[in-house]
Amino acid sequence: MDSPPPPTPPPLQQLPFQVLPRRSELSSQNIQFLDQNLVTHQDLLVRAPLLLSDLTKERSNFDARLLNLRRKLTELAVSWISRSFSAKSSLSKVNFMLENLSLQTSQYGIGSWKVGKVLVEEIPKLAKQVQRIENIRKYIDTALQLEALVGDLEDGVFCVGGLHARNLFSEKRQTSLKSMDFGPKLERILEAIKTMNNIEEVLVSIKKFQAQWHRLLESVDARVDKILAVVRPQVLADHWALLASLGWPPKLLTPKIDSGDIAGLSYPLVLMQGDKSKCYSQTFLALCSLQHLQRRREDRQHNIIEQRECCIGLWAIDELVSPIASRMEYHFSKWAEQPELIFALVYKITKDFIVGVDDVLQPLIDKARLRSCSAKEAWVSAMVQMLSGFLAKSVFSVHAERYQDKQVRSEVITSWLHLIDHIVSFDKRMQSLLSSETPFFLEEPKRFEGLSRGLSVLTIFCDRPEWLKIWATIELKDAWKKIKPVLKDERAWIIDKECDVVVGTESKHFVLSSRGDHKAPMVAESAVKIALEMIERCQTLPSLQHRIRFIRSTAARFFWYFLNGLVLRCRNTDFSLENVDASLIKVCGSINSARYIESKLQEWSDDVNFLEMRIAEKDFDIDGNNEVLGDSCFFGEEIKSLEELMTNWLMEIITALLHHFETLSWEYLQNGRFFVHEREDVNLNRVPAVTDLAVSFDIVQALDALKSQLHLAKTSLNPKDFMDLWRSVADALDQFVSRSIFTSGIRFSNEGINQFDSDMQALFHVFQPFCSRPEAFFPSIREILKLLKMSKEEAKLLLVALSKNKNGTRCLHSLGISHLSFDQVDKVLSNRKCRS
């Protein structure tokens, strides 16, 4: 049986080669794709259908994903169309873009690159459009919210304004505070303030997160400013009327006040009861709320996002002081020549009312939730500012103008200083009223620095730098006028053995060492005291920068003048043999003064107040001092100059002592007749001991003069500088004597060696009172004596070792010789005549 014929394969599908594009029309990506999948002609016949199926399936998946994405994006976009016309228009444009995206692959079967284009370019554009729509939505929501708040605020303020216009100046209004509209109107004002706070919350949020909406901020601020211009006068008017009905301010026109005897005053606010107390509390809270709102607005407008911790001045308390000020100025004008009465009156009123202010107003401040606000501090600050304003307008302005006239300048200086004395005392007394409001563990000046600038009358110098300059000039002239007669009085330069300083309580925080520790004369203490007084007079200056400028212009410059005086005093000395003692005492007094002042300046610079000022000086580069001072302390330049003076004139003393010693001992060291001859004695073979020999006659005078001068220096100079002095003198004498031995060519006999040893022991003895082993400070002389006392055998062995130049240094060190060179050792050994 014949087998069936094999099945014939299906005919190959004929591909439409006539529609294939030319190779030049294909992109490089398409060509690369075809080359990878269709390598041979057989691949074209076998793999082409499978490849087409895979590409069709992949395209379908991409189409499904992109269509799903388009559907979701379209739904999301359509959901916001009702929000605004601009959003609707934007979404329509996005939808049009999506409809026109070619998500199909090309008719040639290759289109994956278009999907990448959609993912890389179109999707980010779409996200930006969605973000822009969201920003527009937020802007519109915020604008509508602010419009609603500001609109309600304007409606409420206009209503209150209408009531105020009808009733504020009526007779009934002035005689009684029980009008039916007062309570509701004040409630509407408080509601308006609350609304403005809500508006401010929104504006702060915009300032933090949407700073580009500055035009919206400006528009709302302009409208709120107009509303505040209406609300604040209304609240103040109600507050003034209420104070008048309470009998504020109290009467001050009494015979006792005119005579300067100020009696106690009662506080009317303590007597408030019923409706008056309630009305006052409401108006006080309204003023506090307005001030708090105003401060928040200022912080935002000046980019102070963090809330400030300290609140000193309060509008409500300022309104208590204002009517008092108008009455007090009448008395001030009559006491122009008696400023002590002005300060006494202000202090008395402040003290009499401060307890009532604290009892009545502090609970209201706490109820208003004003952080770190104190009724007592606000009361004291308002009174101080009132007095500062009067002094600036009626006193210092006149003094500053008259100061330019040289004919009356001396009179102005006296009045100015007298007034500053009262201001400093007044500031401290006012500070004492607030002692319970500040931490008790801080020192007096530091406590005051933490308070507001409104708590010091010296604030007027912070507002007028030209007056500060005049004040500093006056203080400096007065200080130099005080010290000049002391500088000329020789009794002030006498160095007492017991000169401990009795320090007052005002400056005890600066004192760490006494004048006796440095043997400083009284003139140095006077200079320190005068400078310290100038520094303490500016401690209540609120501004750190102005305090720095004042100290630099007064105390620092005063020390420069005093330093020049010390230099001139030292230069007017003569260190000749006839006048050496007087000159030594004179220069030692100047050095001790410089040392004492240097120690005080260093102590002051280590004080926390001066450390703070130095940091501020570096940060703000005040008067360009950073380049000069560098990283030094506050008084760094003054300390450096004082150290230079002490070093230079200490060297002058050392030079003078050495010059005198050289002059008196020249014959001894150059002639050397005591070292050459042998003694003609019956015991020629006996070497005389050192104790048998007297000191050479030619050196006795030099040693005696050196001893007396060092003793005088010890009693006249401070311990630190005297130690440097005698050690430097010892070192210089060691070099001088040893060098003279090497250069003179003296040949030492046995007796000469003993004589030289005896003389050097006398030299060592001069320094015996200053240390237990004075020979340790004369190493070269000690080693020369050791070489001279060697036996012949030891000397020969040493010379042999040195001639070989091997282990010579070790050999010398083994003998205790480390300060002489090989040549010097050889010369000393060669200058010995004989030595058994």
Side-chain angles (χ1 to χ4, degrees), residues 81 83-92 132-133 136 140:
I81 290 178
R83 293 285 183 175
S84 66
F85 177 79
S86 60
K88 186 175 181 180
S89 175
S90 299
L91 287 175
S92 298
R132 188 170 71 87
I133 294 168
I136 293 173
I140 293 174

Side-chain angles (χ1 to χ4, degrees), residues 115 421 507 660 747 805 815:
V115 177
D421 289 336
S507 60
H660 295 159
R747 295 180 60 81
N805 201 19
L815 296 175

